[in-house]
Amino acid sequence: MRLENEVYVVTGALGGMGKETVKRFLEEGAFVAAVDLNVDGVEESDRFLPIAADLTKEEDVEKVFSATNEKFERIDGLVNIAGIAQSATPIEEVSLEDWEKIMRVNSTAPFLTCRAAVPYMKKQGNGVIVNIASISMVRPRPGLNAYIASKGATVSFSQALAIELAEYGIRVNVVNPGPADTNMLAQFSAKEADVEATKDSIFKKSVPLGRLIKPIDIANSLVYLCSKEAAIVTGSVLNVDGGRGI
Ligand SMILES: NC(=O)c1ccc[n+]([C@@H]2O[C@H](COP(=O)([O-])OP(=O)(O)OC[C@H]3O[C@@H](n4cnc5c(N)ncnc54)[C@H](O)[C@@H]3O)[C@@H](O)[C@H]2O)c1
C-alpha cells in the first residue's frame, strides 16, 4: 500500500473528485479526515473522520486540524480539493461580491489550510501538500475570469510554499484537472446555456484524448504525488487533462 498509516486531510471530500480521492486514499492504507461544508449522515470509523467546516473561516480551519490531530495524532498530508465554479460571465457583469467569493473559496481557503497544516508537518520533519487548481489557468476559457485568476493564484502560492518549505522536508505540488465529469462542470456554462449540449460540444471536444476527465483520474494522480514514489517531486504542476493544456 502506498499511503500506509499516513494521515491526510482531504477538503471538498464529498464532491465529485473528493469522494473518489477519499476512497482511493483509504484503499492505499491512509487515515483520512474528510472535510466538506456538510457531512450530515457520514459515519466516522477508526480510519475515517468526517468534519463539517467552511474553509473560508479561520476558526473552522483551526478546528479541522486540531480535530484531525486529536484523533490520528499526526498530520502527514493535506489535499485541497474544495472549490467553487464561476458561470461564464462577461467581465463588466462580474460583481465585486462574486469575485471576492470565488477568490475566498479557491485561493484564501488553501492559504488558511496550508497555514494551519504546516506547524504539524514542521514538527514531524515531513509532509506533503497537493492543491487542486485547473488547466484553465494554462488555457483560459472566455468568461471564467475570476475562477481562472483564483486558480492562477493557487499555483503561484503552491510554488512559493514549495521553495519555502523544502528545507523542512515538506513537498508542495499542484494538480491541474481538465474538464471533469462532476457536478461542477455544468456550473461553468453561461447561465442561459444548454448544459448537457455544452458538455459534449465544448468540454469533451476540447480534450485531445477524447473524453472528459474522471474523478478516478484525479484521485490516482493525488495518490502518486502523495506517495514515496514522488519523494523528489515538489513545486510541480501535473496536468491531468487529456492534453487540453497543450
Ligand atoms: N469539474 C471540473 O471540470 C474541474 C476542472 C478543473 C478544476 N476543478 C477543480 O477541482 C476541484 C474539485 O471539483 P469537483 O469537480 O469535484 O467539484 P464538486 O463541486 O463536485 O466538489 C467541490 C466540493 O467543495 C466543497 N466546498 C465548496 N466550498 C467549500 C467551503 N467553503 N468549505 C468546504 N468545502 C467547500 C463543496 O461542498 C463540494 O463538495 C475544485 O477545486 C475545482 O475548482 C474542477
Side-chain angles (χ1 to χ4, degrees):
M1 291 210 264
R2 293 151 83 192
L3 306 173
E4 193 156 22
N5 294 333
E6 294 177 3
V7 177
Y8 286 87
V9 173
V10 177
T11 78
L14 268 62
M17 296 180 197
K19 252 192 201 151
E20 196 67 34
T21 300
V22 169
K23 184 168 162 267
R24 284 291 292 119
F25 275 44
L26 290 170
E27 284 167 6
E28 293 291 348
F31 295 94
V32 177
V35 186
D36 212 305
L37 286 169
N38 185 339
V39 297
D40 289 354
V42 183
E43 297 255 323
E44 184 176 343
S45 74
D46 286 355
R47 290 195 160 260
F48 178 74
L49 176 64
I51 305 176
D54 177 347
L55 296 166
T56 63
K57 298 193 172 140
E58 274 183 298
E59 61 278 14
D60 279 21
V61 172
E62 290 305 324
K63 188 187 71 185
V64 164
F65 289 88
S66 56
T68 304
N69 190 55
E70 200 170 303
K71 181 170 171 93
F72 299 125
E73 297 178 344
R74 55 183 294 119
I75 296 171
D76 296 291
L78 164 64
V79 181
N80 275 313
I81 302 178
I84 52 172
Q86 173 185 24
S87 58
T89 312
I91 187 61
E92 64 275 27
E93 291 170 26
V94 177
S95 68
L96 177 59
E97 198 186 352
D98 282 350
W99 171 275
E100 286 182 335
K101 183 171 182 202
I102 291 164
M103 295 304 279
R104 233 181 5 257
V105 177
N106 291 354
S107 306
T108 307
F111 151 66
L112 290 174
T113 54
C114 289
R115 189 181 68 175
V118 162
Y120 295 98
M121 295 175 177
K122 277 189 176 174
K123 210 161 72 189
Q124 292 158 196
N126 70 290
V128 56
I129 296 171
V130 186
N131 294 321
I132 298 281
S134 167
I135 198 60
S136 64
M137 59 80 51
V138 177
R139 284 200 75 191
R141 209 177 268 294
L144 302 186
N145 31 57
Y147 179 80
I148 290 167
S150 73
K151 295 300 190 180
T154 301
V155 174
S156 298
F157 172 63
S158 303
Q159 292 181 324
L161 283 191
I163 197 68
E164 177 181 332
L165 298 174
E167 67 176 292
Y168 302 98
I170 302 170
R171 299 186 295 111
V172 187
N173 291 294
V174 174
V175 167
N176 271 347
D181 203 1
T182 69
N183 289 337
M184 184 179 280
L185 191 61
Q187 297 162 29
F188 289 116
S189 307
K191 286 197 175 93
E192 67 282 2
D194 173 343
V195 166
E196 276 311 306
T198 316
K199 219 167 145 174
D200 260 19
S201 66
I202 298 192
F203 290 111
K204 195 169 144 193
K205 228 172 145 186
S206 74
V207 180
L209 281 180
R211 68 160 170 85
L212 293 174
I213 283 67
K214 295 177 186 157
I216 188 73
D217 298 317
I218 303 302
N220 285 336
S221 71
L222 292 168
V223 168
Y224 162 68
L225 284 172
C226 289
S227 74
K228 306 240 167 0
E229 292 158 23
I232 201 66
V233 181
T234 196
S236 78
V237 182
L238 180 56
N239 296 342
V240 183
D241 68 338
R244 160 75 187 146
I246 298 166

